[in-house]
């Protein structure tokens, strides 16, 4: 064969193959071209090519900004138990929107007040504060609690499920209790003290029952935390002894005093609850909001410089310091509802004391705006009192935020104080504190493959389904790369459903910055995208 012909045949084959193959992208950072099928596109759906560019994003400031939404006695919500469910929904959303605009980032919602529930369960009757009559279901086929949690998350708010463990009734009128209430089904669990009925904390059956309640809530709902307030053993009534002599005689250890036995009962419950929560969902926090004074210094050198009439340790039998020392809880919100310089219990001195006695547990200060312009302490007539308390808390090393009791106090009234709070201390939104898992968690980082511009939103197409640990996308848009971190943050709820796409706001920008948050609140991955063909439909 002729040498020239022998050389030309392979060359011609190569040339023919080359000219029939499509051209290849040479940009190394370009995403894979796995866009949505063109047959699904319309004039309002435009594929937006992009590149991922190397650009570091600064950390976002963090601070807990919470508010208690009390349902007991319809303090905050529902406004009326006889309102239709649609009206109750409207009122709840109005609360959420109000506090979101004030740059709060968490709601602590009471879902069990006194042996009842604001969610469907076989362990308690429906709450009369939701439906008007205990045991009557609300006028909706939906689960109210699931809806409330979703509404909070859609607004970027953490949802802390607040339960009262030992309070069984709010009065002695037991004739109105549902047949399903534990007073009627487990009368031996009940003790009458003062004007209420209580679960006997000394009974193993009561402890087991409470564990079932918490286990069910953690298992069934996408909550961010289980939250207890200050009601453990009840506050002492004058000249009355809590009637738990029978259970004390049955279960005390040899030589154990009644006070120590009572503290042991509460300690065992807190430990068991912590283990139950973490074994089910390690990312669900367990927080306590105790009365503001652990012990007075006059009774214990480790105590605070206060003169409180009752204390956690001696009267409520809540050894809060032990819980923090042993790491049984994730955060503490001491109820410091006094003014900064109150002579018997100074907010300033107590905030310092809790910060110095936290054993590394995050402290959020509980503030009492319900006292504004409505208390014998004249300090609450000063519009700056609440603002000064927040400012002071920020100077303390272990204090990482605040929570306010209660929602209506700067919503139904004192709105000028709310605006002052936003102007002077909550002028920018921040993230709540993050938590580190106790064991390593492997999380698949989301990778964006495609991007579709729509009229009012953008749809992200991912490489694979979201890891169930991903909770939020924090999205910022801008035309200047160096200042994009200063743009408004849009917090988009992902949830635990394993989707492979996500809809985010249409920001009409050349750059998109996206941070992915996991269920511990950590930023586990950040990306900055440059839209190489930005189209504004």
């Amino acid at each position: 064969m002729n040498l020239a012909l022998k050389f030309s045949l392979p060359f011609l084959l190569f040339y023919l193959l080359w000219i029939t193959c499509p051209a290849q992208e040479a940009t190394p950072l370009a995403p894979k071209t796995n866009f949505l099928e063109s047959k699904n596109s319309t004039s309002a759906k435009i594929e937006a090519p992009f590149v991922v560019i190397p650009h570091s994003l600064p950390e976002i400031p963090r601070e807990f900004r919470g508010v208690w939404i009390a349902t007991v006695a319809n303090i905050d919500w529902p406004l009326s138990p006889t309102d239709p469910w649609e009206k109750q929904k409207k009122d709840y959303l109005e609360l959420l929107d109000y506090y979101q605009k004030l740059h709060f980032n968490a709601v602590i919602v009471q879902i069990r007040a006194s042996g009842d529930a604001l969610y469907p369960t076989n362990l308690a009757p429906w709450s009369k504060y939701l439906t008007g009559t205990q045991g009557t279901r609300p006028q909706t086929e939906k689960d109210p609690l699931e809806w409330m949690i979703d509404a909070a998350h859609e607004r970027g708010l953490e949802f802390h499920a607040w339960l009262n463990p030992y309070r069984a009734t709010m009065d002695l009128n037991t004739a109105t209790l549902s047949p399903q209430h534990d007073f009627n089904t487990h009368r031996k669990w009940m003790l009458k003290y003062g004007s209420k009925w209580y679960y006997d904390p000394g009974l193993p059956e009561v402890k087991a029952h409470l564990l079932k309640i918490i286990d069910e809530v953690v298992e069934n709902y996408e909550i961010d935390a289980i939250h207890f307030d200050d009601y453990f053993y009840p506050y002492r009534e004058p000249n009355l002894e809590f009637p738990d002599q029978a259970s004390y005689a049955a279960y005390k250890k040899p030589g154990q005093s009644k006070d120590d036995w009572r503290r042991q009962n509460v300690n065992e419950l807190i430990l068991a609850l912590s283990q139950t929560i973490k074994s089910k969902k390690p990312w669900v926090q367990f927080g306590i909001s105790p009365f503001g004074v652990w012990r007075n210094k006059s009774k214990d050198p480790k105590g605070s410089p206060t003169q409180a009439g009752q204390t956690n340790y001696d009267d409520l039998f809540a050894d809060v310091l032990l819980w923090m020392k042993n790491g049984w809880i994730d955060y503490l919100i001491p109820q410091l509802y006094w003014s900064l310089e109150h002579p018997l219990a100074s907010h300033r001195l107590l905030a310092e004391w809790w910060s110095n006695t936290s054993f590394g547990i995050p402290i959020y200060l509980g503030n009492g705006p319900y006292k504004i312009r409505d208390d014998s302490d004249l300090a609450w007539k000063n519009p700056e009192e609440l603002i000064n308390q927040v400012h002071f808390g920020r100077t303390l090393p272990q204090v990482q935020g605040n929570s306010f009791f209660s929602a209506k106090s700067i919503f139904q009234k004192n709105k000028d104080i709310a605006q002052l709070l936003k102007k002077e201390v909550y002028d920018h939104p921040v993230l709540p504190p993050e938590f580190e898992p106790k064991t390593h968690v492997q999380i698949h980082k989301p990778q964006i493959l495609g991007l579709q511009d729509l009229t009012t939103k953008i749809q992200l197409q991912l490489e694979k389904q979201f890891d169930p640990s991903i909770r939020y996308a924090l999205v910022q848009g801008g035309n200047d790369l160096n200042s994009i971190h200063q743009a408004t943050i849009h917090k988009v709820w992902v949830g635990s459903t394993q989707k492979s796409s996500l809809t985010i706001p249409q920001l009409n920008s050349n750059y998109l910055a996206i941070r992915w948050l996991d269920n511990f609140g950590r930023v586990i991955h950040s990306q900055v995208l440059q839209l190489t063909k930005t189209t504004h439909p």
Side-chain angles (χ1 to χ4, degrees), residues 266-283:
V266 180
N267 291 340
E268 289 179 350
L269 174 68
I270 297 300
L271 172 58
L273 285 173
S274 177
Q275 292 172 336
T276 296
I277 295 166
K278 298 306 180 182
S279 65
K280 185 74 65 174
K281 293 179 180 177
W283 58 89

Side-chain angles (χ1 to χ4, degrees), residues 35 43 57 64 98 107 130 137 168 177 202 253 300 335 338 345 360 404 408 453 472 492 515:
F35 296 116
S43 58
L57 296 169
F64 188 82
Y98 181 77
V107 289
L130 182 67
R137 69 169 297 115
L177 296 178
K253 295 177 181 177
D300 189 320
Q335 297 177 19
W338 303 279
F404 300 86
K408 72 177 183 181
D453 260 336
Y472 281 104
V492 182
R515 297 174 177 88

Side-chain angles (χ1 to χ4, degrees), residues 64 68 105-112 145 149 152-153 157-163 213-219 221-229 273-274 277-278 281-289 329-333 364 432-433 435 471 493 519-520:
F64 188 82
W68 280 284
N105 53 33
V107 289
I108 304 172
V109 183
Q110 192 173 32
I111 67 168
R112 178 184 166 92
L145 179 54
I149 295 169
H153 286 158
L157 300 167
E158 286 190 351
F159 189 100
H160 294 227
W162 167 19
L163 303 91
I213 290 169
I214 299 301
D215 182 83
E216 180 182 62
V217 172
V218 173
E219 171 69 25
Y221 297 98
E222 286 198 89
I223 59 173
D224 298 285
I226 289 291
H227 180 91
F228 282 0
D229 59 17
L273 285 173
S274 177
I277 295 166
K278 298 306 180 182
K281 293 179 180 177
W283 58 89
V284 172
Q285 303 163 49
F286 184 24
I288 306 282
S289 174
I329 58 177
D330 296 298
Y331 68 79
L332 191 86
I333 314 182
Y364 313 142
F435 288 83
R471 283 294 182 268
W493 174 247
N519 45 26
F520 291 93

